[in-house]
Amino acid sequence: MARQKDMERIKALTGETDETLITYLLEDAEEFALAYTNRSKMIEALEKPVRDLAVIALNRIGTEGESGRSEAGESYNFNDAPKQIYDVLNRYRLARVGGKVHEYKPKDDA
């Protein structure tokens, strides 16, 4: 779920004011990060990569399907995501063993 703090940071970084769009991008980025890392819940360490993925998706609106572009002597190449984002996601990725993911789930103290 998109948090207000993340939304405010993306607004400040990009100048985008459409909160609905930012919410959708953050939710999609969070779903991607959880699926990629085989986790069921967000952890604090994944918050920045999720924001970064949302900003990348925002910046790529209108260029879907392109692998590169050249305009006015400048060349742009669209990769999946920068390596540093995958480095963080890989650090918190859970392994599948026997088709199951073994994620630590704290016991309730109730």
Side-chain angles (χ1 to χ4, degrees):
M1 185 62 116
R3 295 180 322 156
Q4 191 64 30
K5 177 180 90 170
D6 295 329
M7 192 166 314
E8 294 303 322
R9 285 187 181 185
I10 290 178
K11 283 182 181 180
L13 289 169
T14 65
E16 179 63 51
T17 58
D18 186 348
E19 290 190 7
T20 303
L21 175 62
I22 294 172
T23 299
Y24 289 152
L25 294 174
L26 281 168
E27 288 173 355
D28 287 349
E30 183 174 323
E31 287 175 19
F32 173 81
L34 290 174
Y36 185 83
T37 58
N38 297 317
R39 293 182 175 273
S40 59
K41 290 173 44 176
M42 276 293 292
I43 59 173
E44 188 175 337
L46 295 178
E47 290 175 5
K48 181 170 180 349
V50 165
R51 274 194 312 270
D52 292 344
L53 287 168
V55 169
I56 289 168
L58 178 65
N59 290 336
R60 289 187 181 169
I61 289 177
T63 61
E64 292 88 349
E66 292 184 32
S67 61
R69 162 186 292 200
S70 181
E71 293 178 8
E74 292 185 18
S75 178
Y76 301 97
N77 186 10
F78 304 116
N79 297 323
D80 291 338
K83 182 182 177 308
Q84 62 264 29
I85 293 176
Y86 280 109
D87 287 346
V88 175
L89 293 177
N90 287 335
R91 191 174 311 138
Y92 295 99
R93 195 171 194 185
L94 298 176
R96 288 188 173 270
V97 178
K100 295 184 180 183
V101 176
H102 300 280
E103 182 175 10
Y104 173 75
K105 296 179 180 160
K107 296 178 185 177
D108 293 331
D109 293 329

